[in-house]
Amino acid sequence: MNTTPHPPAHRFAWWNGGVHRMLNGLSRSLASPSRNPRMATVLGRLLGIAFIVTFGTGLYSHFLQDPLPWMVFPTRPTFLYQLSQGIHITAGIACVPLILGKLYVVFPELFQTPPVRSFSHFLERASIALFVAASLVEITIGLLNTFQFYSLFPFPFKQTHFALSFVIIGSLAIHIGVKLDVIAKYWRKKDSYDADGNVADFALPESPKVRVSAAPQDAEQPERVLSATASAAGATGATAAAGATEATGAGGQPAAATGVTGRLFAWIDATPQPSPTTSRRGFVATIAVATAAVVAFTAGQSFRPLDGVNLFAPRKAGIGPNALPVNRTARAAGVLESAVAPDWVLTVVNGDTSRSFTLAELAELPQRDVDLPIACVEGWSQNASWRGPRLLDLLDTVGADAGVSIRATSLEEKGGFRLMDMGPEFVRDDLTLVALEVNGQVLDIDHGYPARIIAPARPGVRQTKWLSMIEVI
């Protein structure tokens, strides 16, 4: 090994060459034919659909739990909530690889200079910054909630998750509005490429045309020409990554790079042209496989046909007491003693009229068998066979009219699950039971012994366990 000290000038040249090589390697790693406005539009389209689906199903779940006074919900099909919440969680999980792919395509755009060129440019940058930040937080806390890592949240999950969904949809709407012309241009594949298979040129009046020697997809494909508008749609990364940007200024002369980022990229671009290390097809295949994998390996908690490949989701079908997963245990609810107390009774109240039923008396009432899914807001669901008296029959004993609403009270002494209001559409449904058994066995204490509510198309958190009182309201 040569240990001869370098002279000062040589040391600087050696250092400068080393930094150039490092940045050249970084540039090579960034170079990707995937960074173009067509890819940004395709990923944005998929991501937009996924977020709209999660937003819609999330609103449905939220208002089932906290309905406005005028709201009425369908009770059929009985698996409606199971389906909607399964889609909500699965679509949310699919957002993970999609948003990472989208960031990969557009992230150099976040470091462009000057940072703001116009009001519309400010709206574009502000909306995408807000959208990305809110989306990452929303997806992260949603995944943590699925795995019941509640203690990690220094804030109320439900309210935060709900509020962030509006931030995401609002910022997404603004972003789509300011990018609508670019999205429209690159929406269809046949409009996005020229006759040679290169990304089509598309210039906006306010944006100086930029010639980009974008990284070719493969050795046979020619140099590509993009526009500044293309960069604004997410292809600026190609500008930096491809390492051969030439902004056309007055008189057709190259415009000088401005700003720290512009000068840095210009310095990097002075290095020899790197070759791309990824192909567009490889990038698309990676995103597609990653999305399919996370969906296939987690959707089994919601969709039984995929239970065999449910590798990542925290709950498996058929595992737990009564062959059902448990979300909130009796110990966590603080009802270990009160639920098995010999003097337990279920009290049914309608104004001044009330009746109390022991467990034996409830079992002597006409029993009804129903098959209904139990579906959790955290994504898992499972079908089960329930047995017990109809809620309507119990309300008849206190002279309740048809079409009343009720409030169910749990043995829990505090917390958001202690009280539950149920609208008349669920109360009068023949399938709504005060369940005493599930899957041919007496309710396990973790599933609500001695009695719980089960009704069609409702969230599991609203199927009150450890019942103590049912009151007409």
Side-chain angles (χ1 to χ4, degrees), residues 173-223:
I174 294 174
H175 188 69
I176 291 174
V178 297
K179 305 295 293 183
L180 194 57
D181 49 357
V182 180
I183 295 171
K185 172 64 182 176
Y186 293 100
W187 184 263
R188 299 192 303 177
K189 183 177 180 180
K190 69 177 184 179
D191 299 330
S192 302
Y193 298 96
D194 60 22
D196 297 325
N198 303 318
V199 177
D201 190 12
F202 181 55
L204 281 178
E206 70 170 39
S207 303
K209 196 169 184 178
V210 176
R211 179 178 178 81
V212 180
S213 298
Q217 182 180 356
D218 51 52
E220 289 74 33
Q221 288 197 329
E223 176 183 89

Side-chain angles (χ1 to χ4, degrees), residues 205-448:
E206 70 170 39
S207 303
K209 196 169 184 178
V210 176
R211 179 178 178 81
V212 180
S213 298
Q217 182 180 356
D218 51 52
E220 289 74 33
Q221 288 197 329
E223 176 183 89
R224 303 181 174 195
V225 178
L226 302 181
S227 70
T229 305
S231 295
T236 305
T239 306
T245 305
E246 184 184 359
T248 304
Q253 296 301 315
T258 60
V260 174
T261 307
R263 287 193 290 273
L264 176 61
F265 282 162
W267 186 56
I268 296 173
D269 292 345
T271 60
Q273 173 67 32
S275 299
T277 57
T278 62
S279 70
R280 188 176 64 221
R281 290 176 182 172
F283 174 75
V284 172
T286 300
I287 296 299
V289 170
T291 304
V294 297
V295 168
F297 294 153
T298 55
Q301 67 174 345
S302 306
F303 303 102
R304 192 60 182 270
L306 293 173
D307 182 62
V309 291
N310 181 16
L311 302 179
F312 298 152
R315 299 172 187 84
K316 291 281 290 181
I319 294 179
N322 296 137
L324 282 176
V326 174
N327 226 34
R328 181 172 170 80
T329 65
R331 180 179 298 279
V335 299
L336 280 176
E337 296 182 2
S338 57
V340 298
D343 59 346
W344 175 88
V345 292
L346 174 63
T347 302
V348 183
V349 179
N350 179 23
D352 296 332
T353 305
S354 67
R355 281 202 57 182
S356 294
F357 297 87
T358 64
L359 182 57
E361 290 171 334
L362 287 174
E364 291 174 357
L365 294 174
Q367 303 291 295
R368 178 81 185 270
D369 294 293
V370 300
D371 291 330
L372 289 177
I374 184 80
C376 179
V377 296
E378 294 158 356
W380 72 265
S381 61
Q382 185 175 324
N383 292 322
S385 298
W386 308 87
R387 182 177 176 81
R390 293 192 314 165
L391 178 60
L392 278 176
D393 293 338
L394 285 171
L395 294 175
D396 284 344
T397 65
V398 293
D401 296 329
V404 298
S405 298
I406 62 109
R407 175 167 296 156
T409 303
S410 171
L411 290 171
E412 297 181 72
E413 295 184 355
K414 60 182 180 181
F417 306 116
R418 180 172 179 269
L419 300 177
M420 180 276 292
D421 291 349
M422 176 184 286
E425 69 272 28
F426 296 105
V427 172
R428 63 172 173 257
D429 196 293
D430 281 344
L431 299 183
T432 301
L433 303 183
V434 173
L436 308 178
E437 299 179 12
V438 61
N439 291 334
Q441 299 176 322
V442 174
L443 283 174
D444 185 89
I445 191 170
D446 283 337
H447 285 309

Side-chain angles (χ1 to χ4, degrees), residues 59-77 80-81 421-429 456-459:
L59 284 184
Y60 180 65
S61 178
H62 176 85
F63 286 117
L64 267 173
Q65 298 174 62
D66 297 309
L68 299 177
W70 50 268
M71 287 183 168
V72 177
F73 300 93
T75 62
R76 298 292 186 279
L80 181 59
Y81 185 74
D421 291 349
M422 176 184 286
E425 69 272 28
F426 296 105
V427 172
R428 63 172 173 257
D429 196 293
R458 297 197 89 208

Side-chain angles (χ1 to χ4, degrees), residues 33-218:
S34 304
R35 290 201 178 90
N36 61 60
R38 166 65 182 170
M39 187 62 69
T41 300
V42 170
L43 283 178
R45 193 165 59 195
L46 295 174
L47 197 57
I49 292 172
F51 271 113
I52 290 172
V53 169
T54 53
F55 181 69
T57 51
L59 284 184
Y60 180 65
S61 178
H62 176 85
F63 286 117
L64 267 173
Q65 298 174 62
D66 297 309
L68 299 177
W70 50 268
M71 287 183 168
V72 177
F73 300 93
T75 62
R76 298 292 186 279
T78 58
F79 57 82
L80 181 59
Y81 185 74
Q82 179 185 30
L83 177 65
S84 69
Q85 195 62 9
I87 291 174
H88 177 77
I89 299 297
T90 304
I93 292 174
C95 286
V96 175
L98 290 177
I99 198 169
L100 292 178
K102 175 78 172 180
L103 285 174
Y104 175 81
V105 171
V106 305
F107 88 88
E109 179 75 10
L110 305 178
F111 305 101
Q112 65 181 245
T113 56
V116 176
R117 297 195 298 266
S118 64
F119 180 69
S120 62
H121 190 230
F122 166 76
L123 283 180
E124 173 201 335
R125 292 177 64 77
S127 63
I128 196 63
L130 195 59
F131 173 76
V132 170
S135 299
L136 291 177
V137 173
E138 184 84 329
I139 292 171
T140 301
I141 65 175
L143 282 175
L144 292 175
N145 183 68
T146 299
F147 286 87
Q148 295 187 302
F149 292 147
Y150 309 129
S151 60
L152 297 178
F153 301 147
F155 46 78
F157 168 78
K158 181 179 173 182
Q159 292 83 347
T160 305
H161 201 64
F162 182 67
L164 279 178
S165 68
F166 286 91
V167 174
I168 291 170
I169 291 300
S171 58
L172 179 62
I174 294 174
H175 188 69
I176 291 174
V178 297
K179 305 295 293 183
L180 194 57
D181 49 357
V182 180
I183 295 171
K185 172 64 182 176
Y186 293 100
W187 184 263
R188 299 192 303 177
K189 183 177 180 180
K190 69 177 184 179
D191 299 330
S192 302
Y193 298 96
D194 60 22
D196 297 325
N198 303 318
V199 177
D201 190 12
F202 181 55
L204 281 178
E206 70 170 39
S207 303
K209 196 169 184 178
V210 176
R211 179 178 178 81
V212 180
S213 298
Q217 182 180 356
D218 51 52

